[in-house]
Amino acid sequence: MFFIPALNLRKFKILEAIITDYIETAEPVGSRTIAKKCGLGISSATIRNEMSDLEDLGLIGQLHTSSGRVPSEKGYRFYVDSMMQSRSLTAEEALSLQRMLIENIYQAEYMMQETAKALARLSGYPSIVSEPFLKKTAIKHIQLVPLDEKSLLLVLVTDTKTVKNQVINLPSAPGYETLTQLSAHLNRCLAGLSIREINRELIDKMLKDFGAHAHVLMPILGIIADMIQSEDDVRVFTSGVKNILAFPEFADKNKAKAIFQALEDRESLFAILGQPFEASGIQVTIGEENNLELLKACSLVKASYSIDNQSNGCIAIIGPMRMDYVQAVSVLSGILQNIQYVIEALERGAR
């Protein structure tokens, strides 16, 4: 974290004016603009002296010698930490969000898609929303069904009521009665367990119990592992990706392309989100504070959310460093509050 000496009121007002004007216009800010906006009753020359002091502190800089000032990363950080004040969502915005969440609270995938759309629409920036990170899926029931002499069908039912099936090809498939017995044994050993709980000791015991049919067990366990892994995978939704084109910082096609590609790639999205399930409150990372190279020219505003005691996800907004932080933080905060409002309303109704 940067160390910023205490600023007197005049420097504080001038810095605030530079940052807010630059966020709005993307144009360097000169002393005449500050004189008109601040109402400090001081001359342009005095303002230029104060701006020079702010530049010495590393809070602002110049793109060119003759140009006005622009905020630095350090300046943006000081603004986010010490200057900006978030606003509340309008009654109309809050009601729209509450209605959307209530209508879709039992349809997690659709709710996350709609939340991403609402976040992009209200903030004006690309949004990323991960669905809730659920507890590890457990096996509820396994059934082996014969197909022919060299194949069988594995049917897996999980504790999330998902049904998955997979054809297994073997040199020689057991018959119906044997598969019924093997199914019963699989259920006795595995029902109620997640993949992490199926250890080497248990597998060795099952191989011994399967006896002459041990060759059937390993492909079954491998496929069960793949099925449950796909069930445990957290999906991520994006919206408003093209919003990035509205900002002159991304007029360079290569910069815009890099952001587009990142927002379309699953691994990149998880890298952007970082460790959302351990996060607390709204976090703002600016420029070089971001670990990913492609975010060095961006700011990221993100937060974790919870829809029960065990299901957590992440919501994030990505934009240029010249982001409207007040709008971004306010919208994100409003969405988090409304998610909590809906959950509490549902819990009251259930009691």
Side-chain angles (χ1 to χ4, degrees), residues 6-23:
L7 300 180
N8 61 37
L9 180 60
R10 194 157 68 186
K11 284 186 174 64
F12 189 95
K13 290 289 187 183
I14 291 172
L15 177 60
E16 184 178 37
I18 291 171
I19 293 176
T20 55
D21 192 82
Y22 188 67
I23 286 173

Side-chain angles (χ1 to χ4, degrees), residues 155-212:
V155 180
L156 173 69
V157 182
T158 72
D159 62 345
T160 61
K161 299 181 181 179
T162 299
V163 180
K164 295 175 176 286
N165 56 74
Q166 176 74 46
V167 174
I168 301 177
N169 295 309
L170 298 166
S172 177
Y176 176 80
E177 290 187 5
T178 300
L179 288 179
T180 300
Q181 294 172 0
L182 295 178
S183 297
H185 190 69
L186 285 167
N187 285 302
R188 282 195 298 271
C189 293
L190 302 179
L193 300 183
S194 69
I195 285 301
R196 289 186 178 181
E197 294 173 304
I198 302 175
N199 54 35
R200 185 74 247 180
E201 182 180 355
L202 177 59
I203 292 173
D204 289 342
K205 180 181 182 302
M206 292 177 68
L207 285 170
K208 183 178 179 180
D209 293 342
F210 268 51

Side-chain angles (χ1 to χ4, degrees), residues 15 52 82 106 120 123-124 126 161 179 205 208-209 225 228 243 255-256 259 274 281-282 304 308:
L15 177 60
S52 179
S82 307
Y106 295 116
S123 71
K161 299 181 181 179
L179 288 179
K205 180 181 182 302
K208 183 178 179 180
D209 293 342
I228 290 185
N243 289 350
K255 287 184 179 180
I259 297 296
I282 295 177
S304 61
D308 58 38

Side-chain angles (χ1 to χ4, degrees), residues 183-292:
S183 297
H185 190 69
L186 285 167
N187 285 302
R188 282 195 298 271
C189 293
L190 302 179
L193 300 183
S194 69
I195 285 301
R196 289 186 178 181
E197 294 173 304
I198 302 175
N199 54 35
R200 185 74 247 180
E201 182 180 355
L202 177 59
I203 292 173
D204 289 342
K205 180 181 182 302
M206 292 177 68
L207 285 170
K208 183 178 179 180
D209 293 342
F210 268 51
H213 302 291
H215 68 286
V216 179
L217 179 63
M218 295 313 292
I220 288 174
L221 290 178
I223 290 172
I224 288 174
D226 290 341
M227 287 178 168
I228 290 185
Q229 182 60 53
S230 67
E231 178 76 2
D232 285 340
D233 281 345
V234 175
R235 288 167 293 185
V236 182
F237 306 94
T238 61
S239 186
V241 176
K242 291 184 179 178
N243 289 350
I244 207 74
L245 296 175
F247 303 101
E249 291 89 339
F250 299 98
D252 184 311
K253 291 182 179 179
N254 290 328
K255 287 184 179 180
K257 183 179 179 182
I259 297 296
F260 285 154
Q261 289 176 339
L263 294 177
E264 292 175 351
D265 179 70
R266 176 181 169 81
E267 290 187 9
S268 295
L269 288 172
F270 277 106
I272 290 171
L273 294 177
Q275 299 296 324
F277 311 119
E278 298 174 4
S280 176
I282 295 177
Q283 299 179 328
V284 180
T285 51
I286 302 169
E288 292 292 331
E289 294 173 0
N290 292 298
N291 294 325
L292 292 182

Side-chain angles (χ1 to χ4, degrees), residues 132-148:
F133 184 77
L134 303 171
K135 64 177 184 178
K136 290 298 179 182
T137 303
I139 297 166
K140 183 176 182 180
H141 183 74
I142 299 168
Q143 188 66 46
L144 303 178
V145 180
L147 294 178
D148 55 41

